[in-house]
Structures are given as C-alpha cells and as structure tokens.
Amino acid sequence: MRLAALLAALRPVLPLVLGLSLGCSLSLLRASWSQSGGEDRCLGAAGRPGPLAGGAHPEAADGRPGPGHEDFRPRIVPYYRDPNKPYKKVLRTRYIQTELGFHERLFVAVLTSKATLNTLAVAVNKTVAHHFPRLLYFTGLRSAKVPHGMVLVAHGDERPIWLMYETMHYIHQHFGSDYDWFYIMQDDTYAQAEQVKALVTHLSINQDVYLGRAEEFIGGDEQARYCHGGFGYLISRSLLLKLHPHLDSCRNEILSVRPDEWLGRCIIDFLGITCVSQLQGQHYHTYELAKNTEPEKEEEEEFQAALAVHPVSDMTLMYRLHKHFSRIQLDRAYQEIQDLQMQIRNLTSLTPAGEAGLTWPVGINAPFLPKSRFEVISWDYFTEQHLFSCPDGSPKCELSGAGKADVSEIIESALEQLNSRYQPLLRFSKRQLLNGYRRFDPTRGMEYTLDLLLEAVTQKGHSHIVAKRVSLVRPLSKVEIIPMPYVTEATRVQLVLPLTVQDLDFVANFLDMFAMNTLDTHDNALLTLLFIYHPYDAQRVSQVDVFAGVKAMVGELEKRYAEVKIPWISVKTEVPSQVKLMDIVSKKHPVDTLFFLASVWTEINMEFLNRCRMNTISNWQVFFPVHFQEFNPALVYRGEQTASSSTDFLRDGHFDRYSFAEACFYNSDYMTARTKLAADILDRDEVLESMEVFDVFLHYSGLHLFRAVEPGLVQKYALRSCNPRLSEELYHRCVLSNLEGLASRSHLAMALFEQEQANST
C-alpha cells in the first residue's frame, strides 16, 4: 500500500528523472569514445599529433585551444593608451546608417540640354521623377530660369563628351559613397521607374555591373559592346569607383562622337568590362519607338515589357507613354490583388475558424473589436451637403473642400461597383443620398455605409426606384516614413514676452518660473521683454512709468544671476498687432535665432523648451503649440481644495484651440514669409492688425505648420482682456477662449443648479 502511494506521488516527475539519467549516460559514453580513439587517429609517423582534415588544429594536451582556434575564441584585448600622445575624443557618426556603411539604393542622372530643358526634361520630371529616391538633371548650359522642382547641374559646356565626362566625375565626387546603383538616361527616354527600382533589388552589389541595351561599335571588336545611351544604362558603385581614376585618360586618349560610345570604350579599355543586356537572371528590356507611334495601340509583348522606351520626340508623347504604362501597372496590381484574394479564400477553409473567419474585404484587416464602451469608435453622420459631427463641436456644418470631394468620390465608386456587378441586366443611376455614415478604423482605414436612392433601368428600358445600402472601405495604403532634417536639443531659444498694462499682475509669476526652470538649471534660453505703451502712458513715462515695477524685477534677476542679461524693448501703439511687434523684434536678432513667442500666463519648463527645439526646423517646419488652460477654480472647486492627481489635473482644464499666442519659429523663416507678405499688401499696413504670426506662415510660406496639443505648456486661469480695436476674427477668438476657459459643461451645470437651489430657498 505504501509502495503504491509512493509510486503515485513520483509518477509526475518520473519522465524527468528518466530523461536526466539517459542524458548523463549518453554523455559519459560519448566522452569515453572520444578519449579512446582520439589519440590514435591524430598521431603521425613520429608519434606527434598530425593535422586534422580541412586544415584544423587539435587542442593542446591541457585542454586549451591550439593555435588554429584563436580566431574562434573571444579574447579580451586590454586598452592601452600611449601617455606621450594627446588624448583624442572618438566622434560617433550622426546616423547609425553611416556608421554601419549602409548606402541608398538608386541614384538617377538625366542628361539634358538648354534646348530641351523646358520641354522634355520637364516631362521627365512630371512623369517619373517622384518615383525615384534621388534624381538630378545635368546640362552643359542652363537657361535663365530653371523649371520649378528640378535640381539642375550645369557644367558650362555643351560638348557631348565633355558633358558625359563632367557628369561621371560629379556623380563620383558627390554621390559615389552614398548609393549602390547609378542609372543614367537621356531626357528623350521614358523609363518605367518601378521596373527599374525592382531590377536593382534583384542584382548583387558586389559585382561590376554595366547593364543596358548592348550595341556593337562601328568597325570595332565583335565581342565588345557599349550600352546605348538613349535607352539608359545601369552602373554599379564598384564599377564607378574603379572607373573614376581613368576618366582623365579616357578624355585625352579616346576619340568618339557619341558620349555613350566614349563611356563604353573607356570601360572596356581600362576595366575590360563590356555592356550586357542580361545579368544574374534579370533582363533589361527596351523598345525602340517608330515615327508616329500610337502607344495606346501597341500590343507587342516587347513593348509591354520594356523598361525603357526611346526615342520620345515631344512632351505629349511622354505623357501618353506614362499614361499607358501606368495603366498596365495598375491592371497588373489589380490582377495580383484578385489572385491573392482567391488564394486567401481557398486557404480560409483550412483554418480553425473556417469560412466564418473570412473578413470583408478579403485581405483587409478585420474591424476593430472594442473591449469596453470607452473603445467604441463612433460613426459620423453626413449628407451630400452637411456633416453632423464637426471639428469645432457644433452639431452641423457644411461639407466643403476635401470632405465634400471625399463624399462625392465614395458615391461615384459605389455606383461604379453596383453597375459592374449587375450589368447588363440593370443600370443604376443616383437619385439621392438618403443617409451616410463614416468612421476611421485605425486597423483598416475609413469605413463608409451609404443608403442610396437609386433608379434602376432594365435592358428593356423599364425603370423603377430602389433604396439600397452599400458598405465601402478606403483601406490604409503603404505607410511611408517622411524624411525630416536632423535637429538637436542644443539650440538656444530666444523667448519673446509682449507685455501690456493689463498683464502687470502676472509678470512676477512668469519671471519666477523662468528663473527656476531655466536660469537655475542653466538651460540655453534667453528672454527679451517687449513693453507695449499706450500713447497716453508713453507721454507720461518720464513722470510715471507703468512698467517701473517690472524693470525693477528684471534688475533683481540680473543681480542674482550675474551672467544673465534680460533686455527690453519699448513700443508705443494703440493696437498691439502681433505681426508688427514681431517685426520690431526680428530686426534686432540674427537670422538664425530660434524664437519662442510666449504669453505672460505661460509657465516655462525645460520639457517644453526641448520640444520647441525638436519640433521647429529651419526652412522646414514651425511649431504652434496648443497650451493647456486651467478652468476657473471658483467654478470648478467652489471653495473645495484643489485636486492634485494627474487625472483631476486633466479634468480641471482644456486645451485652448482658439489661442495662437505661443509659437516657435526661426527668424530666417519669419523674414522670408514677411517679405512675401509685404509684396502682397504693399503699403496697406492696416491689414497687419487683422493678422497673427500664424496667418503669416500659413499664407506666405511653404513650410510645414505643426499644430499640436502641448501638455507641458500649462497656463493658470486668467480672464484675458480682448482689445476691440483688433479685427473681428481675432476679437471673436479671444472672447470664445475666455468663455470656454471658464469651466466644463458639467461644472457650469452644477453651478447653475446650485444657484437655482439657492434662489428657490
């Protein structure tokens, strides 16, 4: 009985014990076999251990690795620095891509001329330039005005051989260490950009590649070939690096009329590499266009599969070729989608969920399933004219711009899908959109549900009205990483604080926070005060200075921090226009100054200043933060103690979207936009009173305007004074900011309820 109980207790661990025993036994047997047979096999004729197969070395008698194992065992190399040599700090590269030696994939050079720069080169730029990661245009002489959006390099000489020589030298000097492949084409060549990019992904970068349409030299060696320049050709980085030392010799020794023949002869004579049209299983397909060719009617397989087409005589033909090949690519993509959907349907029956697990549309992620009521994605109701979920919180607003275009496109797409499904039996036409619903699902895209009132016409001409509900999805496409210039957190921030008489009660708190969060922490930030005098106060400044107290506070700060200087600028005006004030400040600072336009209620901290530095990029982006505005404590707490938890903090305020007082931007960007504004308004300075700095950047600069909520920028509640002399829009925004900053709806409702209760008693 006891034995049975013991076996029952040991049964769960019995497999583990047996496994360990078996493993130990096999290990002992293997060790005994290796010790018994190892010496006899490795002993040479003289009793010394002989070499192992493959050139390996045996281990020493004491178990340490032999001399051949040194490359396979890690070793700790002690650091030694010569005390006689000065210490040199090791500088790391800015990007890990540079340190690891990664290169970009493809660089494209387009050879053009002064005569075709504004015609064929522009057509190339509009058709395929945006498909290539980097594209430059090379010409001998440039015209007076370079077309917009084109990067042009002019060599100063129209001779074809000289142009090719200078182009190859320029590519090696500026891009030879950055790219793996170099594609050279003419402006009378149409190249399928996606096919060229796909080609280089299938080729090895370790070989010297000279790939294109191989042509024979006139009267030359039968085996030697050069790549025809009209159809473009591909050169690897390794070939370019080997060719560059011989370019000068080729220029002096090789005589040729055609630049592509000259380059091919140079590569053959000095590197022994000839042009090929097929390499590593990849074919470089080309097609030569005949005169008066109609691209839409070309049905040859050679034309359909061509990577490059030549010659293209005019811009119209270039656009027609691009339309034709884009249609081929689009049809091919749709066919691949249908094939993938068919494969998904066939494989769904083999999954555990079966056909019930098939999502719609096939291949798109299933809709997001909320785990609680707080995660439910709400639907927005719309009609053809109005949207009933507006960004500003109003219940109804008019559809316009991109929103209206989106609704029109969705309705047209729904009709197209219905007609393609039911034709030729029925033909649908829209009468009215009864109801429309849409929501954005971050897992799949924008979803639509439409109730359409349709007129259905049969083949015999009979028609009747039907109501039909359709569902559509605009899926998320390929996510792209937008390249952004590199910025650091070491940039000095110049704070600009405009002050009026109404702001005097809040200046002390601002200066205290500035001293505590920037001066005490030695942050790289400076402060400039802008005293705005009313004309009446300016006349009495010698007797009574309304800003005397602020100037005294500044003097105390400068005494406490000896290395700090806080300058101020005095301005006399009745209407303190933000743009006019910024004009004065801009002229007194260098062009590379990073401004932070602050308000007196702002509480400066290091976290926000770092985000100001990172989100503001010279000649690229400006930053307009949306500060967090605390509610009126008299309405929120009604005599109770202020809450301190983070959740209560967010509940007791809101992000003030009506305020554009805070801004981060570079002085150079402001000066550029301000110059365009001055040319637009001429001498009508009264227009500046209806504008803010945000409007200047929005309408007169091509920069990115980054407007985002900023939880690190908190302002205490204060009733702003709205100047009626400003424009109607600015005054209205100021009033709305004051009203929404009072309290939330629940707080206001509770205050009204308590007031009614008090009045009733």
Side-chain angles (χ1 to χ4, degrees):
M1 196 67 180
R2 294 181 179 178
L3 182 60
L6 181 61
L7 290 176
L10 294 178
R11 182 173 297 174
V13 298
L14 189 59
L16 177 61
V17 175
L18 293 177
L20 291 175
S21 302
L22 182 61
C24 294
S25 302
L26 292 177
S27 300
L28 292 175
L29 289 175
R30 183 176 179 276
S32 62
W33 290 339
S34 61
Q35 290 177 1
S36 61
E39 296 178 357
D40 296 337
R41 289 197 306 269
C42 298
L43 287 178
R48 293 188 303 269
L52 296 174
H57 294 270
E59 294 187 353
D62 56 355
R64 292 178 297 179
H69 287 263
E70 293 181 358
D71 295 337
F72 304 97
R73 292 291 182 91
R75 294 180 300 164
I76 299 177
V77 180
Y79 174 73
Y80 172 76
R81 182 172 67 89
D82 191 351
N84 299 324
K85 294 182 179 180
Y87 175 71
K88 184 178 180 181
K89 184 179 179 181
V90 178
L91 298 177
R92 299 290 298 274
T93 57
R94 177 175 292 179
Y95 301 104
I96 190 173
Q97 179 180 4
T98 306
E99 185 166 326
L100 296 180
F102 292 165
H103 302 117
E104 298 291 340
R105 179 71 67 178
L106 180 64
F107 173 85
V108 180
V110 180
L111 303 180
T112 182
S113 63
K114 183 179 180 180
T116 59
L117 178 61
N118 293 303
T119 54
L120 289 176
V122 172
V124 172
N125 192 63
K126 291 183 177 180
T127 53
V128 301
H130 55 282
H131 293 281
F132 289 119
R134 189 67 182 271
L135 186 143
L136 264 68
Y137 297 85
F138 295 88
T139 181
L141 299 175
R142 59 185 298 170
S143 57
K145 185 177 181 181
V146 179
H148 178 70
M150 298 174 59
V151 182
L152 183 66
V153 178
H155 299 309
D157 197 326
E158 285 284 356
R159 289 178 296 174
I161 305 301
W162 180 267
L163 176 61
M164 176 60 70
Y165 164 77
E166 289 291 340
T167 299
M168 298 301 297
H169 181 73
Y170 185 93
I171 293 175
H172 175 272
Q173 182 179 2
H174 293 86
F175 306 103
S177 59
D178 298 331
Y179 291 86
D180 288 329
W181 298 99
F182 301 90
Y183 186 66
I184 302 173
M185 56 181 287
Q186 299 174 179
D187 58 1
D188 60 347
T189 304
Y190 177 79
Q192 291 202 63
E194 298 300 329
Q195 297 289 345
V196 174
K197 291 194 295 185
L199 173 66
V200 298
T201 58
H202 293 84
L203 295 177
S204 173
I205 62 175
N206 296 325
Q207 295 186 10
D208 298 334
V209 177
Y210 183 35
L211 181 65
R213 176 165 174 165
E215 298 283 346
E216 296 182 2
F217 291 98
I218 300 177
D221 188 1
E222 295 182 357
Q223 296 182 353
R225 298 289 188 274
Y226 74 94
C227 289
H228 194 292
F231 299 93
Y233 44 91
L234 195 66
I235 294 178
S236 64
R237 177 174 175 268
S238 59
L239 178 64
L240 179 65
L241 296 179
K242 295 178 181 179
L243 177 64
H244 181 259
H246 307 291
L247 287 177
D248 292 333
S249 301
C250 293
R251 184 189 59 180
N252 299 326
E253 300 175 7
I254 299 177
L255 298 178
S256 179
V257 178
R258 295 173 54 94
D260 49 3
E261 286 189 9
W262 174 84
L263 181 63
R265 177 60 65 187
C266 180
I267 296 176
I268 293 172
D269 291 350
F270 289 91
L271 302 181
I273 299 174
T274 184
C275 176
V276 293
S277 300
Q278 178 182 356
L279 183 67
Q280 301 174 15
Q282 302 298 316
H283 296 266
Y284 190 85
H285 299 286
T286 59
Y287 185 81
E288 185 173 356
L289 283 177
K291 292 184 178 180
N292 301 323
T293 301
E294 298 290 335
E296 297 81 8
K297 298 180 181 179
E298 289 287 341
E299 297 180 355
E300 299 182 23
E301 293 185 2
E302 184 181 359
F303 176 73
Q304 305 294 340
L307 271 74
V309 178
H310 174 80
V312 183
S313 57
D314 54 59
M315 299 174 62
T316 304
L317 182 58
M318 183 79 73
Y319 297 139
R320 292 170 62 188
L321 285 170
H322 183 64
K323 179 181 179 181
H324 177 73
F325 284 107
S326 297
R327 175 61 62 183
I328 294 176
Q329 292 287 343
L330 192 61
D331 294 340
R332 189 177 302 165
Y334 282 143
Q335 185 61 43
E336 291 179 359
I337 291 174
Q338 292 180 3
D339 295 341
L340 290 174
Q341 289 179 340
M342 185 60 65
Q343 295 178 15
I344 293 173
R345 289 191 182 96
N346 296 334
L347 293 175
T348 302
S349 59
L350 305 178
T351 61
E355 295 183 357
L358 190 65
T359 61
W360 179 88
V362 179
I364 305 298
N365 294 332
F368 173 73
L369 295 177
K371 297 181 181 179
S372 65
R373 63 185 180 91
F374 301 103
E375 298 179 355
V376 175
I377 304 175
S378 60
W379 290 84
D380 298 334
Y381 180 78
F382 64 89
T383 62
E384 292 186 77
Q385 293 80 25
H386 296 91
L387 178 65
F388 292 84
S389 178
C390 305
D392 58 355
S394 58
K396 180 180 178 180
C397 56
E398 185 177 357
L399 268 176
S400 61
K404 190 175 184 62
D406 174 62
V407 172
S408 301
E409 184 181 358
I410 285 298
I411 295 176
E412 292 178 3
S413 178
L415 288 175
E416 182 181 350
Q417 294 293 330
L418 288 173
N419 288 322
S420 64
R421 176 173 297 184
Y422 292 101
Q423 277 186 350
L425 300 177
L426 293 175
R427 174 72 182 178
F428 292 99
S429 60
K430 180 182 72 71
R431 281 293 188 91
Q432 183 184 356
L433 173 63
L434 300 176
N435 302 294
Y437 308 90
R438 69 181 180 184
R439 70 172 184 177
F440 178 72
D441 189 337
T443 62
R444 54 196 263 131
M446 186 70 78
E447 299 177 342
Y448 302 86
T449 299
L450 306 179
D451 294 333
L452 296 172
L453 187 64
L454 306 172
E455 180 181 3
V457 181
T458 63
Q459 289 179 308
K460 297 182 179 181
H462 302 293
S463 64
H464 58 281
I465 305 301
V466 296
K468 197 169 186 64
R469 167 166 287 192
V470 295
S471 298
L472 302 96
V473 176
R474 191 191 296 273
L476 294 173
S477 59
K478 182 180 178 181
V479 179
E480 298 182 4
I481 299 177
I482 301 177
M484 297 291 288
Y486 181 79
V487 293
T488 65
E489 296 181 355
T491 308
R492 173 176 292 177
V493 180
Q494 178 66 58
L495 281 76
V496 179
L497 179 63
L499 293 175
T500 61
V501 179
Q502 292 81 7
D503 303 331
L504 294 179
D505 296 336
F506 310 98
V507 179
N509 182 66
F510 178 89
L511 294 178
D512 291 341
M513 297 299 296
F514 174 75
M516 180 175 63
N517 294 329
T518 60
L519 300 183
D520 290 342
T521 58
H522 301 284
D523 199 342
N524 195 10
L526 301 176
L527 174 63
T528 297
L529 299 179
L530 197 60
F531 296 141
I532 305 173
Y533 287 90
H534 190 271
Y536 175 76
D537 296 329
Q539 294 177 358
R540 304 170 56 248
V541 69
S542 58
Q543 292 83 18
V544 179
D545 188 356
V546 292
F547 293 105
V550 180
K551 296 177 181 179
M553 297 179 194
V554 172
E556 291 294 332
L557 283 180
E558 292 179 346
K559 289 181 181 179
R560 191 190 315 171
Y561 304 95
E563 70 282 0
V564 175
K565 297 296 180 182
I566 303 178
W568 66 69
I569 304 173
S570 299
V571 180
K572 180 180 70 172
T573 179
E574 293 185 8
V575 183
S577 170
Q578 194 181 45
V579 178
K580 289 184 177 180
L581 297 176
M582 199 61 226
D583 289 344
I584 299 173
V585 178
S586 175
K587 296 176 182 178
K588 298 182 179 296
H589 291 84
V591 294
D592 59 346
T593 303
L594 173 58
F595 285 123
F596 168 44
L597 192 57
S599 60
V600 71
W601 306 281
T602 305
E603 295 183 358
I604 305 299
N605 57 76
M606 185 184 299
E607 179 184 1
F608 167 73
L609 291 179
N610 286 335
R611 272 200 287 271
C612 177
R613 297 181 179 102
M614 300 299 292
N615 293 331
T616 310
I617 306 173
S618 179
N619 200 28
W620 185 268
Q621 179 174 284
V622 293
F623 180 41
F624 287 86
V626 181
H627 67 260
F628 185 82
Q629 177 70 48
E630 294 184 359
F631 288 141
N632 188 347
L635 293 175
V636 174
Y637 305 111
R638 297 183 299 280
E640 300 177 0
Q641 185 177 0
T642 303
S644 59
S645 64
S646 59
T647 57
D648 291 336
F649 163 77
L650 294 177
R651 180 176 62 90
D652 298 340
H654 76 297
F655 289 99
D656 190 0
R657 64 179 183 272
Y658 294 109
S659 176
F660 294 85
E662 292 85 16
C664 294
F665 53 90
Y666 278 91
N667 192 18
S668 57
D669 296 334
Y670 177 79
M671 294 172 66
T672 303
R674 186 64 179 86
T675 303
K676 296 180 181 179
L677 172 62
D680 187 26
I681 65 174
L682 299 178
D683 295 332
R684 295 177 293 123
D685 292 342
E686 65 275 4
V687 179
L688 301 178
E689 298 178 0
S690 62
M691 300 183 67
E692 291 184 321
V693 174
F694 179 82
D695 301 316
V696 176
F697 284 109
L698 179 63
H699 299 290
Y700 297 96
S701 76
L703 306 178
H704 298 273
L705 270 67
F706 184 32
R707 176 127 171 108
V709 294
E710 179 51 66
L713 198 62
V714 181
Q715 292 189 9
K716 299 293 184 181
Y717 172 78
L719 186 63
R720 274 70 165 168
S721 59
C722 301
N723 192 340
R725 299 288 300 273
L726 295 174
S727 65
E728 182 180 355
E729 181 183 357
L730 297 180
Y731 180 78
H732 182 64
R733 283 213 308 251
C734 180
V735 172
L736 287 178
S737 177
N738 280 333
L739 292 178
E740 290 202 359
L742 289 174
S744 64
R745 293 185 178 182
S746 60
H747 291 137
L748 293 174
M750 184 61 66
L752 289 175
F753 176 75
E754 293 180 355
Q755 184 178 1
E756 290 181 358
Q757 290 289 334
N759 293 336
S760 62
T761 56

